[in-house]
Amino acid sequence: MTTVEPGRARLDERMLGAGTNSRFALLLLLLVAASGYLLVPVLSALRPGDYLGCELAAGIDFDAAHAVAAATRMVGQALAFLPCVARYAPPPPMWQILAGPAVVVAAAAAVTVLLPLSKQRRGRCVRLNLVPGGSEIAARVEELAAGRVAQVPELFMAPAAATRSAAVFGTNGRPRLLLNGGLVACRTTDPRTFDAVVLHELGHVANRDLTITHATVALWRTFIALVITPFLLWWSGLGVFGIAAGAGPALTAVSMRYLAVPVVIAIVMRFARADVLRSRELYADLTASRWGAPLEHVWAAMPTPAGHPRLHRLASLLLDQVRTHPRWEIRRDTLDDPAPLFAVSPLLMFLTGASATLMNFHLMGHIAPHVAILSDWLGQGLAAVPAAVVAAVATAVLWRAVVRAAVLGCPAPAGVRAGLWLGLGLIAGSLISGQTTWSLWLPGRWWVLVLVVAFAVALTCWTSQCARLAAASWPGRSLRWPLALCLIAGWLILSAWFAWWNYYGATYATGFWFDPEGLRSIIVHWFPGVGTAHPDTTAVMAQTIVVLRYAAYQPVAPAAAVAAWVTPFALWAARTTGRGPGWLRSRDAAGGDRAAADTTAPVVWQAPTLRQATAPALMGAVVATVGVAGVQAWLHTLHAGPGQRGGMYAFSYAIWSLWAIAAGTLVAALAAAASARFRLPAALIATGIGALLGLGAATALISVDGCIQPLSVLNDSCAWRPAWRQLQGGGTFDLVARSTLLVAPVTAVAATAAAALFRLARRSIRAKGGTPAPQQVATTSHGSTGRRYAGAMLSAVGIPCAALATAAALIAGDAETQLASKAQLVTVAAQTTFQQTAGLPVLPVSQDMRRRQVHAWYRLGGRYLLVNAARNGSWMATQLRSAVRDHQLEITADLMAKVRPACQNMMNVAAWEPVYFQVPDPGAQASWHQFGLDARSAGPKCTQAADHTDVDAFRRSMLGLLAAAEKATDVSKRIEAIIDDPSDPVYKGEPAEPPQPRL
């Protein structure tokens, strides 16, 4: 055996839990999500419908090069597309979609129950008490189990198995032990081997890993049998049929991706399953070793492979990840030092990221057929599931590694490497699922994926630093509470990230972006009123504000932003005074008699005073306050009139104040990140507190606007006017408050990254110059007594409570809007706004594709609108001709009353123009849009003139309506020329009325 350092011998692998439950949860949730998602296209294919017709009517092409533009046209015409799909291609009901996961989980549960029964079936094994001499073997097993396990397992024997091994199976409530014939035979000749093997299997029973083991195996087999195999057979058949029928490259790419996704999921599940099963073996070895099992005696007979070439070593490392039992040399080394159980595995982090992204995409796929019922909070709830998986796995792994380093007094992992692998896994999942590529193989903007890696690295570094703070500061006898706090905070952060990524981040990666001119108009739309920006910075601010708004208005974004700095603040504020962390002093923290016996923590693990973070925070708050006052003084010199202080003027006031607060947070972040230790927590705390104080100062200054004349911007008299009321238009103050909370952690991460890169560069320069790099000096913590201690406790409670109350108020204020479904939020105004900001591109398509698009538009409702417009226009023209006397139009009250219903009908037809699909042909669309404008303008004038018997107004309205009817006729002629087939059935029968829009 290898000589062991004293500290390592006292390290207990059970510290902070094993983490296998979170990995099993990853398997279960991935299986459930994939089962429902992979079922959706099968159910949709079994339900005949005209989904293709709705896409064609929306002007969508299936060329992969136009994927982003096609999706933009679909979203920009949601008022027509959603009702069209609901009528002509209704999605499968939700109960059918949810039935797939339910059946798979039920089948997996049944397999879990049946697996033990299959292992003890007749012909494979017999009960030990039926074997001659079995009672003596059973007595020895009971003797070994006494005091070690709560329940002695039922004993079986496999007479035909000649190996000296055993297996435990069953459930935690009913364990069963199967002894091979070779092991039973060596009971008298080699009792040490018998004892070692039996104690190892009893270790599984003591660790209560039987149920989770069988459930893992059952999940794997059920998923392969009920989901992967049928889906591959189904979709491969459809793919072959589509390729033979001449499917385009986009449909071929989609078919190939549908085939690739289940294969990748199966591979991910295979690796995750092997990881769970390998871990249980190592834990059982260590449990048996604590009981004194002579495992070395058994393993001494196991050969250790000699050195292999590098290629063979790489192959061995890969095989290690798919084996369910670790290699013997790994098991030997783990007894000396359980480092593998505390290591941050790159493969585990990669699989966690890939699994979470696939799970996230699949959960959203459950709702995709019923997108109209999706709300912001429902989307947030779906995003919270993969967030919980990533938070559980990453937090457990990193905390275990950090706590082990604290016990051994060695450097802890920074989290950068773990974050890189986690980020690569997140990217891989997005690319495989097609979330960032749609029908393409590569994203349109690959650099957006860099944000994924940056976020993952920031998250893992944050988690590692929180663990280091807890290890250095927590006074309690256990780290369970700080671990739970970090887990909840990490879950909130990941939930906000996944929600934003689903709605916007992945869309940006595909290549979508906003139209610059549309952004300017939407800013004006958001902040209505009289007033102009001073100076006119709309073009500069538009893109930043729109992106910031969409990120800040995710449901849990305020809470996540606050949790990012409140968590390290709470851990830092709880630091001990003098004797080191309480958990490290406790002999129970590391496993009873084997606990670390040190009574003081190593100096490198002592946390410095909280002034390292609070002093820069106060500095940043001062800068923010001065900045807001400077903005007020500057705007005051522009002398806007009383009637010009709303709209864009108030918007510019709020936004410049926001940038002033952001400048203060940047100063606080740079000052805090310059520290030698705990840079990221210090920067987060500094920016969080600085932003909160800066927002409070800005709120106070805006609320008393008018009381200090040189700083007056919106008012001329002194009074208390709350800022949230003065900047209420367009939700301006709400935007500022949400953005302030969000900008704080983002600024802290950026400043910390810049500081770390600067330090690396300076160390490199010093190393090349021969100058030794300065060593970090640990700062000894000094306790606070008396009023200093009371002040610290007050700030430790008051500041987080104020921040959390602010976040809760912002979340509650927008709850009504965020609980509304997409069907409720997609209005004419919202659709117009989207078309202005994103544009509605006309795709360059072939003549045949254009004909198919126009044909679908005409068939699914366009003909109904044009026929009614033509009929009403023709009828009005006939009535007017009949009223001509001596070449003069004689307009009477009876004529106006008779024509009035036709005017109303023209208005009704024109009301469809902004909510129905745009004509896929640009020329026809121009005439159709002009028809809508003319009819909506002249129609109300016609009805009003008829009601008031206004002859002149009626005459002018008739000219406008007849011009509109002429435009509708032009559209019909243009469509007939495009279709170019008078015998086409589209002209036969009564036209189909368009589905009612979701208003």
Side-chain angles (χ1 to χ4, degrees):
M1 294 291 292
T2 307
T3 303
V4 184
E5 297 179 16
R8 291 183 178 179
R10 292 189 290 266
L11 184 62
D12 196 316
E13 77 282 355
R14 297 169 295 178
M15 185 181 297
L16 296 178
T20 52
N21 289 337
S22 60
R23 281 171 271 181
F24 173 76
L26 183 148
L27 274 175
L28 176 61
L29 293 175
L30 180 59
L31 178 144
V32 171
S35 301
Y37 172 75
L38 295 178
L39 185 65
V40 170
V42 177
L43 292 175
S44 300
L46 294 175
R47 296 173 63 89
D50 196 11
Y51 191 90
L52 177 61
C54 295
E55 290 184 316
L56 290 171
I60 294 174
D61 186 15
F62 306 105
D63 187 353
H66 303 147
V68 175
T72 304
R73 285 195 67 89
M74 184 185 299
V75 176
Q77 301 177 92
L79 280 173
F81 187 80
L82 293 178
C84 180
V85 171
R87 173 187 288 186
Y88 295 106
M94 283 299 299
W95 71 266
Q96 291 185 4
I97 299 176
L98 298 178
V103 169
V104 172
V105 172
V111 173
T112 303
V113 174
L114 294 176
L115 274 177
L117 299 178
S118 67
K119 290 186 176 183
Q120 67 181 62
R121 66 183 182 272
R122 185 183 300 274
R124 180 175 181 177
C125 62
V126 295
R127 288 190 175 272
L128 189 61
N129 58 2
L130 302 178
V131 177
S135 58
E136 298 178 5
I137 302 296
R140 180 55 182 165
V141 172
E142 292 176 0
E143 181 182 347
L144 293 173
R148 295 187 172 105
V149 296
Q151 181 180 0
V152 179
E154 300 177 27
L155 300 178
F156 296 85
M157 176 183 174
T163 58
R164 296 184 177 187
S165 61
V168 65
F169 61 98
T171 62
N172 294 336
R174 188 186 174 188
R176 287 156 246 189
L177 178 60
L178 176 63
L179 305 175
N180 287 354
L183 183 66
V184 173
C186 78
R187 167 67 186 92
T188 55
T189 59
D190 191 1
R192 298 184 67 192
T193 296
F194 180 87
D195 290 351
V197 172
V198 171
L199 286 174
H200 169 85
E201 300 302 331
L202 291 176
H204 289 297
V205 179
N207 293 337
R208 299 183 62 80
D209 63 13
L210 302 184
T211 300
I212 197 171
T213 299
H214 285 85
T216 302
V217 175
L219 282 174
W220 167 255
R221 295 180 179 178
T222 305
F223 187 67
I224 294 296
L226 296 185
V227 179
I228 296 295
T229 303
F231 182 86
L232 288 177
L233 293 175
W234 167 270
W235 205 259
S236 59
L238 289 181
V240 171
F241 177 79
I243 294 174
L251 293 178
T252 302
V254 171
S255 299
M256 295 300 294
R257 178 167 286 111
Y258 270 125
L259 291 174
V261 167
V263 174
V264 173
I265 294 174
I267 294 173
V268 170
M269 290 190 66
R270 172 67 183 181
F271 278 104
R273 167 182 174 269
D275 179 72
V276 172
L277 298 180
R278 277 197 312 274
S279 297
R280 69 185 283 272
E281 294 298 329
L282 295 178
Y283 278 101
D285 284 344
L286 291 168
T287 300
S289 177
R290 278 194 300 272
W291 292 340
L295 297 176
E296 303 86 347
H297 173 74
V298 179
W299 293 342
M302 303 299 177
T304 301
H308 293 293
R310 182 174 183 179
L311 183 61
H312 288 184
R313 289 198 302 271
L314 292 176
S316 178
L317 290 176
L318 181 60
L319 289 175
D320 284 343
Q321 305 304 320
V322 297
R323 290 190 178 103
T324 57
H325 284 67
R327 288 182 288 113
W328 293 112
E329 53 268 28
I330 294 178
R331 299 175 71 169
R332 291 190 190 105
D333 294 341
T334 303
L335 283 188
D336 293 343
D337 180 8
L341 297 177
F342 293 89
V344 182
S345 169
L347 180 63
L348 175 61
M349 301 305 294
F350 179 85
L351 293 176
T352 300
S355 302
T357 307
L358 289 171
M359 187 190 312
N360 180 42
F361 182 75
H362 293 164
L363 289 174
M364 292 298 295
H366 284 69
I367 302 297
H370 299 271
V371 67
I373 70 173
L374 184 64
S375 66
D376 288 347
W377 270 107
L378 178 57
Q380 183 67 77
L382 295 176
V385 177
V389 173
V390 177
V393 174
T395 304
V397 169
L398 289 169
W399 272 64
R400 284 172 58 83
V402 170
V403 171
R404 174 181 179 273
V407 172
L408 301 182
C410 60
V416 176
R417 183 176 301 176
L420 288 174
W421 283 104
L422 178 63
L424 291 176
L426 294 172
I427 291 175
S430 293
L431 295 177
I432 294 167
S433 64
Q435 186 182 30
T436 55
T437 60
W438 287 338
S439 58
L440 302 175
W441 288 108
L442 295 175
R445 291 192 182 92
W446 62 267
W447 57 265
V448 177
L449 299 180
V450 177
L451 295 177
V452 180
V453 177
F455 168 78
V457 171
L459 177 72
T460 52
C461 290
W462 175 85
T463 304
S464 179
Q465 289 292 297
C466 287
R468 291 190 64 187
L469 276 174
S473 307
W474 191 251
R477 297 169 64 87
S478 171
L479 291 177
R480 301 281 180 172
W481 284 109
L483 173 63
L485 176 63
C486 184
L487 182 61
I488 294 172
W491 172 66
L492 281 174
I493 296 169
L494 280 160
S495 297
W497 166 265
F498 277 118
W500 174 81
W501 183 255
N502 287 337
Y503 282 107
Y504 303 105
T507 306
Y508 298 153
T510 60
F512 170 83
W513 198 248
F514 303 99
D515 178 69
E517 291 300 323
L519 287 176
R520 290 174 60 92
S521 63
I522 193 59
I523 290 293
V524 176
H525 171 76
W526 275 344
F527 307 100
V530 180
T532 58
H534 293 283
D536 186 8
T537 55
T538 311
V540 178
M541 294 180 175
Q543 298 196 26
T544 304
I545 294 303
V546 169
V547 173
L548 186 61
R549 179 187 176 98
Y550 287 142
Y553 273 79
Q554 295 306 308
V556 299
V562 170
W565 65 267
V566 165
T567 301
F569 179 84
L571 296 176
W572 206 329
R575 64 188 182 87
T576 55
T577 55
R579 293 185 57 207
W583 70 271
L584 195 56
R585 295 195 307 268
S586 171
R587 297 182 63 86
D588 297 329
D593 294 337
R594 295 178 181 269
D598 298 331
T599 57
T600 57
V603 70
V604 72
W605 283 93
Q606 292 180 359
T609 61
L610 194 55
R611 286 195 301 271
Q612 175 179 320
T614 55
L618 297 177
M619 183 192 309
V622 171
V623 172
T625 305
V626 173
V628 173
V631 169
Q632 292 180 321
W634 167 54
L635 291 176
H636 178 76
T637 61
L638 301 178
H639 304 293
Q644 299 292 324
R645 296 175 181 174
M648 295 305 298
Y649 181 81
F651 164 72
S652 63
Y653 177 24
I655 297 306
W656 284 116
S657 299
L658 170 61
W659 295 139
I661 299 173
T665 62
L666 179 60
V667 170
L670 292 175
S675 58
R677 301 172 61 225
F678 297 107
R679 286 194 294 270
L680 181 57
L684 285 169
I685 295 170
T687 55
I689 297 177
L692 187 67
L693 296 178
L695 178 61
T699 302
L701 288 173
I702 296 173
S703 299
V704 299
D705 187 301
C707 295
I708 306 175
Q709 287 304 315
L711 304 182
S712 298
V713 178
L714 300 177
N715 308 285
D716 296 325
S717 60
C718 182
W720 173 258
R721 305 176 183 90
W724 50 90
R725 296 188 183 276
Q726 292 207 70
L727 299 177
Q728 187 175 7
T732 311
F733 182 80
D734 190 56
L735 172 64
V736 171
R738 283 177 169 269
S739 300
T740 298
L741 296 182
L742 181 62
V743 166
V746 174
T747 305
V749 170
T752 303
L757 292 175
F758 176 76
R759 284 180 173 273
L760 287 175
R762 189 171 65 175
R763 287 182 181 179
S764 177
I765 294 173
R766 288 178 177 271
K768 290 181 179 179
T771 305
Q775 299 295 322
Q776 297 181 359
V777 179
T779 305
T780 305
S781 59
H782 299 284
S784 298
T785 56
R787 288 188 299 177
R788 288 182 58 194
Y789 181 77
M793 291 302 298
L794 181 62
S795 64
V797 174
I799 294 177
C801 288
L804 292 173
T806 302
L810 293 173
I811 293 174
D814 294 310
E816 183 177 356
T817 301
Q818 292 174 339
L819 285 172
S821 66
K822 297 301 179 185
Q824 296 171 315
L825 295 177
V826 177
T827 61
V828 176
Q831 180 168 287
T832 303
T833 298
F834 180 86
Q835 292 178 1
Q836 289 177 345
T837 55
L840 208 63
V842 178
L843 307 182
V845 297
S846 64
Q847 183 177 356
D848 179 67
M849 177 58 71
R850 184 71 71 201
R851 187 195 67 80
R852 294 174 61 190
Q853 292 174 343
V854 172
H855 189 281
W857 183 91
Y858 196 62
R859 174 172 55 87
L860 298 180
R863 181 188 172 209
Y864 175 89
L865 300 176
L866 293 176
V867 166
N868 277 276
R871 286 175 180 174
N872 283 280
S874 177
W875 187 86
M876 284 189 297
T878 301
Q879 297 303 314
L880 293 176
R881 282 195 297 269
S882 65
V884 174
R885 303 288 186 272
D886 298 329
H887 304 288
Q888 293 292 329
L889 178 61
E890 186 177 328
I891 300 176
T892 63
D894 291 339
L895 177 63
M896 287 187 283
K898 189 176 182 180
V899 174
R900 188 185 189 283
C903 297
Q904 185 63 51
N905 290 339
M906 289 291 281
M907 292 168 54
N908 293 340
V909 174
W912 282 94
E913 187 268 328
V915 299
Y916 186 58
F917 294 116
Q918 292 190 4
V919 187
D921 178 70
Q925 169 57 27
S927 297
W928 174 239
H929 180 59
Q930 190 60 49
F931 159 80
L933 294 177
D934 293 344
R936 288 194 298 274
S937 174
K941 296 177 182 177
C942 172
T943 57
Q944 292 173 8
D947 293 338
H948 297 88
T949 320
D950 188 338
V951 175
D952 292 336
F954 183 80
R955 181 179 288 109
R956 289 192 297 269
S957 68
M958 285 297 98
L959 293 175
L961 288 175
L962 291 176
E966 185 66 25
K967 291 295 182 182
T969 303
D970 293 343
V971 177
S972 296
K973 292 178 179 179
R974 176 68 178 169
I975 288 175
E976 291 174 0
I978 293 174
I979 296 177
D980 194 23
D981 184 5
S983 64
D984 194 298
V986 75
Y987 300 115
K988 306 299 188 292
E990 285 296 319
E993 181 181 359
Q996 288 294 322
R998 299 178 183 274
L999 297 178

